[in-house]
């Protein structure tokens, strides 16, 4: 029994250190996000790079003096949003851009719509300029690729969604190289960039040869009266209003977050480009770029507007996909980061923090099990013969009382650290009407803890995953039906019973301990209720 209690104590210490590591970064990035980062830019220097000059200053210059930029929109059966995104990209003021839709749709309506764009919007014939199997390279052996070229607009269509988004971009890489594109501004199908996004990003990316990408700010469109969409937006925007600005000011690694980023294609190609096999191709590519000595920059003064999931079930499935992909990248890159000889300890810690972020579900589940275990041992201490064991005898001594008090205080500080980025985001955005939604946003994030847990397991064992496309409604209020997940509902219900039982037991163990558990109860009980009702 002594060994058992010793093991439990070691687990508690590990959990404390783990959550302190993540919570510490939340405090760190929240503080540094309030500072103004110094970002080097190249301005009005035609001899170094003509791209850094504004269009107004270059009216008399040939467009060919600017480097070629591919504005790539990746899509898969997303006809609801594609036209508006294409039109938003047409408003980009950079003179030497080509809009390329990398489309994997198997929906004929979507494909026909895109072909019509080639014809009608660009007033050119939509003849197939290139049709290849790419069988000789082996990278696209599963399907044909058709390229419909209409000058400033290109439809790059794959017959199968092999490798998902990363597979799409990997297939496109030879086309971009063959057509001498130097940069790529990458968008998902629902994101609209601000008109001067490319010019601003080029000023930054060309200021340092080691900068491989510039990640820009993503803000979300949501219905002001839609409770869940608003909470989803608050949660996601915290990444772009607190987390990434904090990293930039602190000098930590910058994550390419999936879209709304400008890439220097030579750097991307030098590390192997986009690679299939990862659901989170953004973390995968970010890891490889940093491990090879490149870096990214977060540019907050360029913003893009996109959508959030239309309902809770879509949100849960989206988070599941992200958690599976994150667990896989953590498994693949943990030792590579640890063993890297060129990165500083600080950068390694920042990179590890990014990779373990979604795996926090596993320690959280363990902490629930540990809490339940202690509660059960206390409940049945007499029948188990533990009444005289020193573990319980000394709980009332000054040393153990102080230790328990210290651990409780530390956990409360860590707990507040998970809420702090949302508060800082509110302050930085100055959208005070979101204040009442901060706590519900935390509830919703915690409500998918079991989804995260099982997704992590799937990612660690590399279980095959069928791609879930987050539904898009093109900023319109529309009913999107997804079936209930009854296994998750039942598991949340059982967890709720366990949590309530544990909190009640804490009252009988110690009044002080019960008081310390109140903040956790205020978070966990509503979160689990949401998970039961909405999953």
């Amino acid at each position: 029994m002594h060994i058992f209690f010793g093991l439990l104590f070691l687990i508690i210490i590990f959990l404390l250190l783990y959550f302190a590591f993540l919570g510490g970064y939340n405090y760190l990035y929240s503080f540094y996000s309030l500072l103004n980062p110094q970002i080097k830019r190249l301005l009005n220097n035609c001899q170094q790079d003509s791209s850094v000059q504004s269009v107004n200053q270059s009216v008399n210059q040939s467009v060919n003096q600017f480097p070629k930029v591919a504005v790539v929109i990746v899509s898969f059966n997303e006809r609801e949003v594609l036209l508006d995104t294409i039109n938003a990209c047409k408003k980009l003021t950079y003179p030497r851009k080509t809009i390329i839709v990398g489309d994997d749709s198997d929906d004929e309506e979507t494909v026909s719509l895109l072909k019509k764009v080639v014809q009608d919007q660009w007033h050119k014939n939509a003849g197939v300029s290139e049709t290849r199997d790419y069988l000789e390279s082996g990278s696209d052996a599963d399907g044909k690729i058709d390229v419909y070229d209409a000058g400033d607009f290109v439809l790059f269509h794959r017959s199968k969604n092999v490798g998902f988004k990363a597979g799409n971009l990997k297939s496109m890489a030879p086309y971009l190289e063959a057509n001498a594109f130097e940069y790529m501004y990458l968008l998902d199908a629902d994101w609209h960039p601000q008109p001067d996004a490319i010019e601003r990003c080029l000023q930054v990316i060309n200021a340092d040869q080691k900068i491989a990408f510039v990640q820009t700010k993503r803000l979300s469109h949501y219905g002001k009266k839609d409770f869940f969409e608003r909470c989803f937006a608050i949660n996601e925007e915290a990444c772009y209003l607190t987390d990434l600005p904090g990293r930039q000011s602190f000098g930590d690694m910058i994550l390419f977050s999936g879209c709304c980023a400008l890439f220097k294609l030579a750097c991307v190609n030098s590390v192997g480009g986009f690679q299939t096999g990862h659901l989170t191709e953004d973390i995968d590519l970010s890891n490889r770029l940093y491990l090879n000595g490149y870096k990214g920059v977060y540019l907050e003064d360029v913003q893009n507007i996109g959508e959030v999931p239309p309902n809770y079930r879509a949100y849960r499935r989206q988070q599941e996909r992200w958690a599976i992909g994150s667990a896989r990248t953590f498994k693949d890159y943990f030792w590579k980061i640890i063993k890297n000889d060129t990165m500083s300890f600080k950068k390694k810690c920042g990179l590890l923090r990014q990779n373990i972020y979604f795996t926090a579900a596993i320690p959280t589940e363990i902490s629930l099990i540990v809490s339940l275990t202690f509660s059960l041992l206390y409940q049945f201490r007499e029948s188990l013969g533990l009444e005289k064991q020193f573990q319980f005898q000394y709980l009332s001594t000054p040393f153990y009382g102080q230790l328990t008090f210290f651990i409780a205080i530390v956990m409360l500080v860590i707990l507040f650290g998970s809420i702090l980025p949302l508060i800082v985001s509110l302050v930085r955005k100055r959208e005070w009407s979101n204040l009442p939604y901060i706590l519900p946003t935390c509830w919703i994030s915690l409500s998918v803890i079991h989804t995260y847990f099982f997704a992590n397991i799937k990612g660690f064992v590399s279980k095959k995953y069928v791609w879930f496309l987050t539904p898009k409604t093109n900023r319109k209020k529309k009913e999107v039906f997804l079936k209930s997940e009854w296994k998750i509902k039942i598991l949340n219900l059982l967890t709720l019973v366990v949590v309530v039982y544990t909190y009640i037991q804490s009252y009988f163990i110690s009044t002080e301990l019960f008081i310390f558990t109140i903040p956790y109860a205020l978070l966990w009980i509503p979160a689990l209720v949401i998970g039961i009702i909405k999953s």
Side-chain angles (χ1 to χ4, degrees):
M1 189 57 69
H2 290 281
I3 296 175
F4 174 74
F5 276 98
L7 180 61
L8 280 180
F9 180 75
L10 289 176
I11 291 174
I12 291 173
I13 296 300
F14 167 77
L15 292 173
L16 191 66
L17 293 174
Y18 182 92
F19 290 125
F21 177 74
L22 291 178
Y25 271 102
N26 285 340
Y27 278 100
L28 185 70
Y29 292 156
S30 294
F31 170 75
Y32 273 92
S33 69
L34 300 173
L35 307 178
N36 291 320
Q38 300 298 316
I39 299 176
K40 185 179 179 181
R41 306 168 196 251
L42 285 179
L43 297 170
N44 303 324
N45 193 335
C46 183
Q47 292 181 345
Q48 290 188 30
D49 195 315
S50 59
S51 65
V52 300
Q53 297 193 39
S54 69
V55 177
N56 291 333
Q57 293 173 316
S58 307
V59 172
N60 297 323
Q61 295 182 8
S62 170
V63 171
N64 291 331
Q65 289 183 313
F66 291 83
K68 293 180 70 175
V69 176
V71 181
V72 175
I73 305 167
V74 181
S75 71
F76 176 57
N77 295 335
E78 295 172 275
R79 61 185 175 87
E80 290 278 358
V81 296
L82 273 170
L83 277 183
D84 283 350
T85 301
I86 291 169
N87 288 331
C89 290
K90 288 170 63 177
K91 295 176 183 177
L92 289 166
T93 56
Y94 187 73
R96 202 180 182 197
K97 66 180 182 295
T98 300
I99 299 173
I100 304 175
V101 177
D103 182 64
D104 289 350
S105 298
D106 52 18
D107 169 36
E108 286 300 325
E109 288 188 35
T110 302
V111 179
S112 298
L113 174 71
L114 290 169
K115 289 181 180 179
K116 193 173 185 299
V117 171
V118 180
Q119 292 175 322
D120 297 345
Q121 294 195 14
W122 298 93
H123 307 293
K124 292 185 179 181
N125 293 329
V128 178
S129 62
E130 182 178 12
T131 302
R132 294 187 288 180
D133 288 332
Y134 286 167
L135 289 174
E136 67 275 14
S137 69
S139 60
D140 291 297
D142 293 296
K144 185 174 65 173
I145 297 174
D146 295 330
V147 180
Y148 299 83
D149 194 336
D152 291 337
F153 182 84
V154 176
L155 170 58
F156 188 93
H157 178 69
R158 298 197 307 164
S159 60
K160 295 182 180 180
N161 185 28
V162 178
F164 311 128
K165 182 177 176 180
N168 185 310
L169 294 167
K170 182 179 179 69
S171 298
M172 193 185 295
Y175 175 84
L176 297 176
E177 186 175 2
N179 288 274
F181 286 101
E182 298 177 51
Y183 302 92
M184 173 178 69
Y185 194 81
L186 181 62
L187 295 165
D188 282 348
D190 58 314
W191 287 93
H192 300 180
Q194 70 181 52
D196 62 345
I198 296 176
E199 291 93 332
R200 288 177 179 267
C201 289
L202 285 171
Q203 291 172 356
V204 174
I205 204 167
N206 287 312
D208 187 339
Q209 292 182 347
K210 289 296 183 180
I211 298 176
F213 67 93
V214 175
Q215 176 64 53
T216 61
K217 182 163 65 178
R218 292 165 50 178
L219 298 178
S220 302
H221 176 276
Y222 56 90
K224 295 290 184 181
K225 296 181 179 180
D226 191 298
F227 175 82
F228 281 96
E229 283 191 4
R230 190 168 191 156
C231 291
F232 300 155
I234 291 170
N235 188 46
E236 184 166 341
E237 287 180 356
C239 175
Y240 303 94
L241 294 169
T242 302
D243 190 89
L244 286 174
R247 297 188 200 198
Q248 184 64 47
S249 295
F250 183 63
D252 245 353
M253 69 85 63
I254 298 298
L255 170 72
F256 155 53
S257 63
C259 68
C260 304
L262 181 80
F263 287 94
K264 196 180 294 177
L265 289 174
C267 298
V268 174
N269 293 335
S270 71
V271 299
F274 287 88
Q275 294 183 359
T276 58
H278 287 277
L279 291 173
T280 47
E281 73 292 327
D282 45 6
I283 303 178
D284 170 57
L285 181 58
S286 298
N287 285 338
R288 284 186 283 118
L289 286 169
Y290 272 89
L291 287 171
N292 283 276
Y294 295 109
K295 62 181 180 179
V297 172
Y298 177 61
L299 190 59
E300 195 173 7
D301 57 3
V302 173
Q303 71 177 32
N304 309 260
I305 306 296
E307 294 190 24
V308 292
N311 56 41
Y312 179 86
R313 291 175 186 172
Y315 166 78
R316 193 190 69 80
R317 292 293 304 277
Q318 180 197 60
Q319 297 299 303
E320 178 185 35
R321 189 183 75 224
W322 291 356
I324 292 173
S326 296
R328 171 70 186 275
T329 53
F330 172 72
K331 182 186 75 170
D332 289 350
Y333 286 100
F334 177 77
W335 286 114
K336 292 179 182 179
I337 295 170
I338 295 295
K339 295 178 180 179
N340 187 278
D341 295 328
T342 61
M343 295 177 65
S344 66
F345 178 76
K346 172 187 171 183
K347 288 187 176 180
K348 285 184 179 182
C349 287
L351 204 55
L352 285 173
R353 184 263 184 183
Q354 177 58 59
N355 279 264
I356 70 173
Y357 184 80
F358 275 96
T359 64
I362 294 177
T364 302
E365 296 275 10
I366 294 173
S367 67
L368 289 173
I369 294 171
V370 170
S371 299
L372 175 62
T373 301
F374 272 113
S375 296
L376 291 174
L377 288 173
Y378 183 81
Q379 175 71 28
F380 300 104
R381 61 191 182 281
E382 293 183 5
S383 58
L384 293 174
L386 296 176
E387 187 66 30
K388 296 181 180 180
Q389 296 294 324
F390 75 92
Q391 285 82 8
F392 286 108
Q393 283 182 350
Y394 290 108
L395 283 176
S396 59
T397 64
F399 172 76
Y400 280 98
Q402 292 172 6
L403 179 62
T404 303
F405 181 78
F406 172 75
I407 292 175
I409 289 292
V410 170
M411 289 306 295
L412 285 177
V413 171
I414 293 171
L415 180 67
F416 180 73
S418 65
I419 304 174
L420 182 61
L422 301 178
I423 298 173
V424 173
S425 297
L426 174 79
V427 172
R428 298 194 72 237
K429 196 178 181 183
R430 300 180 185 278
E431 196 161 350
W432 309 114
S433 60
N434 282 342
L435 182 60
Y437 293 85
I438 296 296
L439 194 55
T441 298
C442 295
W443 294 340
I444 292 171
S445 297
L446 284 173
S447 71
V448 294
I449 191 68
H450 292 314
T451 296
Y452 284 148
F453 176 78
F454 291 111
N456 287 163
I457 300 302
K458 291 176 183 177
F460 284 131
V461 300
S462 302
K463 185 177 180 180
K464 189 175 181 180
Y465 177 79
V466 178
W467 180 265
F468 171 75
L469 175 66
T470 306
K472 310 291 193 309
T473 62
N474 201 24
R475 297 158 173 78
K476 299 180 180 69
K477 185 61 182 175
K478 187 181 296 184
E479 290 296 326
V480 177
F481 176 77
L482 293 170
K483 67 178 183 178
S484 298
E485 192 64 52
W486 284 100
K487 292 180 181 179
I488 294 295
K489 282 177 176 286
I490 293 171
L491 189 56
N492 280 322
L493 178 59
L494 293 174
T495 306
L496 179 62
V497 172
V498 168
V499 166
V500 171
Y501 169 79
T502 303
Y503 290 147
I504 292 173
Q505 281 297 106
S506 69
Y507 174 78
F508 294 102
I509 295 173
S510 166
T511 303
E512 292 81 4
L513 182 61
F514 176 74
I515 293 173
F516 276 115
T517 63
I518 290 176
Y520 293 94
L522 291 175
L523 282 176
W524 275 109
I525 292 176
L528 291 167
V529 170
I530 290 173
I532 293 167
I533 296 172
K534 304 298 293 186
S535 292

